[in-house]
Amino acid sequence: MLSAATGGRSRAGPTVRGWAVVGWAVVGLTVLAAGCGGGTGTSATAPSIEVVTGLFPLAQAVEQIGGSKVTVVDVVPAGSDPRSYQLTASQVAAVGRAAVVLEAGRAFQPSLAAAAATAPRVVDLETALGTSDPYVWLDPDDMQRAVSSIAAAMEAANPPAAGQYRSGARAFSDEVASTGIDYESTLSTCPRRLIVTPNGAFADLARLYGLTDQVVGTAATPDAAAVAAAAGGIQAAGLSTVFSEPFVPTGTIAAVAAAAHVKVRVLDPLTGPPPAGWPRQADYVRLMEANLGTLNAALGCPDAGTGS
């Protein structure tokens, strides 16, 4: 079955800001404040806690929030689909003894959710944020709220490190917000407003920036009539690209691309790294910006050059 998500959400604030400049400025101010003993502060003897997750973007958030006062464990190895990965016995034990366990949603990673049943503190971001979309990190607005929830749970688990967690959350949240502004200022200029994807991972992101996400499904043997209908819509919209995703069967998206005579590019929902790991220096913000570049080229935005 084919489905679409359309519309947009309003966003307050300016339309242009350099995320890197603002992010590093906030980090610098945070370090200065810590050196001057401002804010709530962090005790020099504050312990470091262990936080467990099975998703790369959430592990990144924990690292940025916690600094030297956290050890983050991503239990899903590179190249494995975090949604279907089955934890080993030793990983189940690690989840059970972690100070905090982070989940995007209980149904999203059933093996992790089952292991977390005995953990002392579990943050289910779908519940915490009141959303039905587990891909909260793809929506910069939701990711900022997720950062606040994660930092609060870490502070509750380790009060002596509250100053670190609060300052780390502020700095990282600013980077996320600025990345969102990059998305808005870029995608608002695109003449094409349709993206075609195999599942609904990017549905909320599409709505946030006024795009339509046409979801064509992941069936290995796609329905011929549905493929023809999707191809007709792609041609009518003047698209040159449809998107596949890592860890998702490509049968339907490949059939649609062939019928519409368009390219297939990868749009990565960033759940976890490929088998060889991410490129050197890659992190959550840079990978979000890379996704923006992919969308930029496919939608024919003014600065996309000839890559569309």
Side-chain angles (χ1 to χ4, degrees), residues 105-154:
R106 292 190 60 80
F108 191 67
Q109 292 178 284
S111 183
L112 177 64
T118 60
R121 184 172 282 102
V122 180
V123 179
D124 176 347
L125 289 173
E126 271 191 329
T127 300
L129 274 59
T131 179
S132 59
D133 178 21
Y135 293 91
V136 296
W137 57 89
L138 294 177
D139 178 333
D141 286 357
D142 280 347
M143 186 57 161
Q144 290 175 76
R145 296 195 294 135
V147 168
S148 295
S149 294
I150 294 167
M154 291 169 63

Side-chain angles (χ1 to χ4, degrees), residues 106-241:
R106 292 190 60 80
F108 191 67
Q109 292 178 284
S111 183
L112 177 64
T118 60
R121 184 172 282 102
V122 180
V123 179
D124 176 347
L125 289 173
E126 271 191 329
T127 300
L129 274 59
T131 179
S132 59
D133 178 21
Y135 293 91
V136 296
W137 57 89
L138 294 177
D139 178 333
D141 286 357
D142 280 347
M143 186 57 161
Q144 290 175 76
R145 296 195 294 135
V147 168
S148 295
S149 294
I150 294 167
M154 291 169 63
E155 182 177 341
N158 190 15
Q164 166 61 51
Y165 299 157
R166 293 178 187 180
S167 63
R170 284 194 298 270
F172 186 56
S173 183
D174 187 84
E175 288 194 69
V176 174
S178 298
T179 300
I181 292 171
D182 282 352
Y183 267 72
E184 182 174 27
S185 62
T186 298
L187 297 181
S188 64
T189 67
C190 301
R192 301 169 194 154
R193 310 304 300 168
L194 175 69
I195 62 173
V196 179
T197 63
N199 60 23
F202 291 91
D204 268 15
L205 181 145
R207 279 191 291 268
L208 181 59
Y209 299 110
L211 305 177
T212 298
D213 180 15
Q214 186 76 34
V215 177
V216 300
T218 59
T221 306
D223 177 77
V227 167
I234 289 167
Q235 292 170 330
L239 299 185
S240 61
T241 303

